[in-house]
Amino acid sequence: MNPLSDDGSETLSPDALRRLAVDLSQRFGALEAQVADLRGELETSELARAALQAENQDLRDEIARLKNLPPRPPFKPSGMEKAANRDLGKAAGTARRRGPKRDTDRVTREEVLRTEAPAGSRFKGYEILLVRELVMSAELVRYRRERWLTPEGNTIIAPLPAGLIGGFGANLRRFCLVLHAQGQVTTERLTSILNGIGIEISKRQVVRILTSRLEDFVAEDRAVLRTGLATAPFISVDDTGARHARRDGITTQIGGDHFTVFRTGRSKSRLNFLSLLQAGGEDYVINDAALEYMRRRKVAPEVVARLAGH
């Protein structure tokens, strides 16, 4: 006989309710014990899986060493795990207020938006809204170069603007170099981007832009370093290891408040660093300190004497 009626539990006696509560508490305790056992088994399985992964990676590293393959690069743990394990109920902290934009004094275009107002309305000025927009357009410029024939029979043709190489302008070449070097954009994707903008260009032409006739950009980069070293109140210098084509190298950073340059080479010697500070120049000064340094380093006396004569 079921002590519960169709309309609720009002027909249960106190003894029946007591027995029901004791039975439910016993079942709940048994469930808690099962959950604890399952958690223990899960932790044991996770530890065993981590041990197997570590052993597998050790075997892979040993195989790579025996085959003279490059070592596995060190991967740092991602910050996504910390974000995923963070307590969702805990506040992330007080949000900082956004400061004013620093480009509000560089408005390039102004438009007046008009609206229809009923008769009798009074004009109350304008509501200002600054919108930042990116304008990208493809241009096909036709240069008509004057040609003159001198009385001597020579032909004179008006020179082209600086930076034009192979039918491509300097801004297009600079755009390709920035996306490829700083944005890590491949040549295939770069070709697709340019074609999508409206520039008819092939992958072969993109590769030529990225690899050939870069003297102007090298000179511009050296000019940035020279100007920065001449005008900066202080400079910061740092270097770090870098590998390229399975060979060790050194990347040196030189910068200040308004400029930063990077130079990669095979050496981090003092002589190499001094040559980087030359910014492409080859000027040297022979003074008393230099001659004394040469004598301490056991340079041939005739060489020191010849340099001292100059």
Side-chain angles (χ1 to χ4, degrees), residues 56-77:
N56 187 20
Q57 188 59 53
D58 292 340
L59 293 176
R60 289 175 178 269
D61 294 341
E62 182 64 19
I63 293 174
R65 186 186 66 82
L66 295 175
K67 291 184 177 182
N68 293 325
L69 297 177
R72 179 171 56 95
F75 291 100
K76 296 183 179 180

Side-chain angles (χ1 to χ4, degrees), residues 143-158:
Y143 289 101
R144 302 178 63 186
R145 305 170 63 185
E146 291 185 348
R147 298 178 60 188
W148 295 85
L149 182 63
T150 64
E152 294 79 10
N154 299 324
T155 302
I156 301 177
I157 303 177

